[in-house]
Every structure is written in C-alpha cells, then in structure tokens.
Amino acid sequence: MKLLHIDSSILGENSVSRILSAAIVAHLKVRGDVEVIYHDLAARPIGNLTGRYLAGQNADVQHDQALQEDLHLGGRVLTEFLAAETIVIGVPMYNLTIPSQLKAWIDHIMVAGKTFHYTHNGPVGLAGDKRVILALARGGHYSPGSPAAGMEHQESYLRAVLGFIGIMEITTVLAEGVALGADAREKAIASAREVIATL
C-alpha cells in the first residue's frame, strides 16, 4: 500500500495531531506492507497559490528559476497525492479551521482535469479511489451538540473539499478539549488511541 502521511501542526513534539497521525501510520504499517511518503508542512511549507503560478502552467509563459521550482514542487505534490492509496493527515484546529500550511497543500491537489472536472450537472470528483484518515486535534469542544459546534470549520471543511474531489472513504480520529488541562489532554489522546486500534 502506498501511504501519504501529512503533518501540519506548528507545535512540534507538543502536537497532539502529530502524536495521533504517527500512531495511525505505525498501526497501519504493522498490518501490512506499507510504503510511506512523509511531509511536514510546518517544517517545509508549500507556497500559497499565486496568479503567477497559475499562469506559469501555460506553455507560452516564460519561466524563471523560482517559478520553475514552484511548478516542480506543485507537480510533485499532485503526483504523490494521485499515487497514494491511503492518506493520513495530522490536522490541528487553529482559529476554528485548518492551518494555512495545510490549506496551501490542498490548493495544490485541487486541480481541474486531475482531481475533479466540471460538467453540465456540476463538478465530478476524480480521486474517489482513495482512503483518507484525519487525525484531528482541538483545544476546545466543537463536536455536534456542543455550544461551539457551529464554529467548527476543521473537519467539516475537509470533508467538503475531499468530497468535492470524490473521496468519500474518510475516517476521523479525534482528540478534543486538549487545551483544558493535562488530564483532559491525556484522556482525549487515550480515547483517540482506542479508535486507532480499531482501524
């Protein structure tokens, strides 16, 4: 199995989403022959999309070295994504949504003609043969039924954008309330590990 492992937390060893994503990958590796490609988007961020990048994909646009490197990186990101059968993504919640580093990666895999295309009946996803496992970490409580549920734009956004490109097999491993004290953090991680054991 080809597995793409993405981390996006800026907290390094203190990151709960990194702990969970690593545990998921380790669990999957024990269960079979797994080839892993890993990217730490906080340590090596991908640049945000620019008009220059989009224009540079046209053959008649002159490329300088910086643009060539940018286009090469974008192409590699897309190729790795398309080749992966399973994608594990470590996702903290920052300011009610995902990190900007992860958004930049998503912008490089949302490519018309590659991962989706438009029809008269609306967009059609082209990447539906993949499984995605989201390792989600949140400082507070935002699950359905909680007072802040309406402000959750982490999992809901990811499900929407992955669904747009055809991916419906999405599993979530959630540690919630991790900023509410050491005990709450450890209980949330322990609960998430129980879910990982069932994958």
Side-chain angles (χ1 to χ4, degrees):
M1 177 177 66
K2 292 186 177 180
L3 187 152
L4 180 59
H5 179 190
I6 302 291
D7 272 326
S8 58
S9 170
I10 61 174
L11 298 181
E13 294 180 357
N14 295 316
S15 164
V16 172
S17 67
R18 287 175 182 270
I19 291 170
L20 299 183
S21 73
I24 292 166
V25 172
H27 177 75
L28 295 176
K29 287 174 72 175
V30 167
R31 300 180 62 84
D33 184 18
V34 180
E35 175 189 340
V36 179
I37 294 177
Y38 175 71
H39 289 295
D40 182 340
L41 299 179
R44 300 187 70 181
I46 296 168
N48 292 321
L49 284 186
T50 63
R52 191 166 178 265
Y53 176 89
L54 294 177
Q57 296 179 54
N58 295 322
D60 58 346
V61 173
Q62 187 173 1
H63 296 172
D64 59 23
Q65 183 174 348
L67 181 56
Q68 287 178 0
E69 291 173 357
D70 199 14
L71 290 168
H72 176 74
L73 176 59
R76 192 186 78 201
V77 166
L78 180 61
T79 299
E80 289 173 349
F81 173 77
L82 292 174
E85 299 163 70
T86 298
I87 300 105
V88 176
I89 309 175
V91 191
M93 177 186 272
Y94 293 158
N95 301 318
L96 309 179
T97 189
I98 66 171
S100 58
Q101 294 90 339
L102 181 56
K103 177 60 167 63
W105 178 82
I106 288 170
D107 285 341
H108 283 79
I109 65 166
M110 300 285 290
V111 180
K114 300 291 186 179
T115 54
F116 71 93
H117 69 257
Y118 290 110
T119 72
H120 292 296
N121 296 319
V124 175
L126 303 175
D129 58 342
K130 303 180 187 305
R131 176 190 188 193
V132 173
I133 304 173
L134 302 174
L136 304 171
R138 302 172 185 162
H141 291 278
Y142 297 88
S143 290
S146 68
M151 293 187 283
E152 188 280 304
H153 305 293
Q154 176 198 36
E155 179 182 348
S156 57
Y157 167 73
L158 289 169
R159 283 188 176 277
V161 77
L162 292 169
F164 187 89
I165 59 175
I167 299 175
M168 299 302 169
E169 189 178 352
I170 303 169
T171 303
T172 58
V173 176
L174 173 63
E176 196 168 46
V178 300
L180 301 178
D183 287 345
R185 175 187 168 99
E186 291 309 311
K187 286 179 181 177
I189 293 173
S191 178
R193 287 187 183 278
E194 291 178 4
V195 175
I196 292 169
T198 69
L199 295 175

